[in-house]
Amino acid sequence: MADDAVVKITGLAELQKSLAALPARIEANVVRGALKAGAQVMVEEAKRQVPVRSGQLRDSIHVSSRITKRTGKVTGNVVARARHAHLVEFGTAAHWIKPKSRKSLFVAGLLRAVVSHPGARPRPFMRPALDRGWQPAIDRFAEYADKRVAKEIEKARKG
């Protein structure tokens, strides 16, 4: 992808202080859960924006997250796994379609050795989801983290 969008959240000193009081494993799980909660806002917005034909593209949009073992860095991504997602988002240029394993293609009732495709205009759905959903995503991240940190601190006090 040529233009990856990364949103970094800074200025959450209180959250960092609370997380520091927790064991590293629980801290990573809290951040991971908060990332998923925030990214889910983007998923919902992208699914709302995607041009639907079969629903395959819409259904392929989801959140993936992981924790890097060596550094403890938690990352979250909103991805569209459909093979044609990038073609819808960015469009295609005019191009020729040639058969791969045959001598000709059957198009509109005729056999053709090659077909001219006019291209497709871009129909972005991921970028508008980011543009519209970044603030609600950050709000949901903070809300989730606040509730979960309080819950984990309470558990630690009881245990």
Side-chain angles (χ1 to χ4, degrees), residues 14-24 26-27 149 152-153 156:
E14 298 83 18
L15 176 60
Q16 283 184 321
K17 189 188 263 186
S18 298
L19 287 171
L22 299 173
I26 294 174
E27 175 186 347
V149 166
E152 293 296 336
I153 289 174

Side-chain angles (χ1 to χ4, degrees), residues 97-106 111-115:
I97 301 173
K98 297 177 185 178
K100 291 182 181 177
S101 61
R102 295 191 175 116
K103 293 182 182 179
S104 60
L105 297 168
F106 189 71
L111 290 173
R112 308 266 178 167
V114 66
V115 177

Side-chain angles (χ1 to χ4, degrees), residues 61-115:
I61 301 170
H62 69 278
V63 177
S64 71
S65 67
R66 69 184 195 131
I67 301 171
T68 306
K69 299 268 188 223
R70 190 173 51 83
T71 62
K73 182 179 178 182
V74 180
T75 58
N77 297 306
V78 176
V79 295
R81 295 260 187 227
R83 288 181 36 207
H84 63 289
H86 66 288
L87 302 174
V88 174
E89 179 80 10
F90 302 112
T92 62
H95 57 280
W96 294 96
I97 301 173
K98 297 177 185 178
K100 291 182 181 177
S101 61
R102 295 191 175 116
K103 293 182 182 179
S104 60
L105 297 168
F106 189 71
V107 179
L110 300 171
L111 290 173
R112 308 266 178 167
V114 66
V115 177

Side-chain angles (χ1 to χ4, degrees), residues 116-136:
S116 174
H117 189 286
R121 65 180 175 79
R123 297 176 68 185
F125 57 96
M126 294 294 269
R127 184 59 196 216
L130 174 66
D131 292 343
R132 290 192 181 116
W134 70 269
Q135 188 60 54

